[in-house]
Amino acid sequence: MIHVVARMELNPGCQEKMLEIMRDLVPVVRAENGCITYNPCIDNDENQIYLTIVEAWESEAHLKAHLDSAHMAEYREAVKDLRKGSTLYLLKPVL
């Protein structure tokens, strides 16, 4: 199993558009082979403009297939002007 934490800083005024895009994307990703968890979250601070996606995949191969999928390419194009940047953390369980 591999865990992923994808943290994005959104541009001001873009949170609602990003959430609209995520509402369409989430069911598609959750239906992917190997997806265990895919949960978008917003910071619990109204002054912050971050969206964090907490994910778990059966394997790195499943994650790679997800990242290489057509719907993720479409997603990246759709959100490119909505976010300042993003950081991706890949985590492997140790216990």
Side-chain angles (χ1 to χ4, degrees):
M1 181 187 318
I2 187 163
H3 296 277
V4 179
V5 177
R7 184 159 172 83
M8 295 169 265
E9 182 176 5
L10 303 180
N11 289 320
C14 292
Q15 181 175 317
E16 286 308 313
K17 180 64 177 172
M18 177 63 88
L19 292 177
E20 179 184 316
I21 291 168
M22 294 305 299
R23 281 184 197 98
D24 292 335
L25 179 68
V26 168
V28 176
V29 173
R30 287 181 177 165
E32 286 183 58
N33 187 30
C35 180
I36 298 168
T37 303
Y38 192 84
N39 295 313
C41 308
I42 57 171
D43 284 13
N44 193 23
D45 179 345
E46 62 188 43
N47 297 317
Q48 298 293 322
I49 51 173
Y50 289 92
L51 177 77
T52 302
I53 304 171
V54 180
E55 311 172 35
W57 296 88
E58 288 182 21
S59 69
E60 288 185 49
H62 288 103
L63 173 61
K64 181 174 180 353
H66 161 69
L67 295 172
D68 292 344
S69 68
H71 58 266
M72 287 308 293
E74 292 170 9
Y75 160 80
R76 285 188 289 274
E77 181 64 26
V79 302
K80 68 180 181 183
D81 295 328
L82 302 180
R83 59 187 185 175
K84 292 181 182 180
S86 62
T87 305
L88 189 70
Y89 300 96
L90 302 178
L91 309 165
K92 293 182 182 180
V94 293
L95 298 178

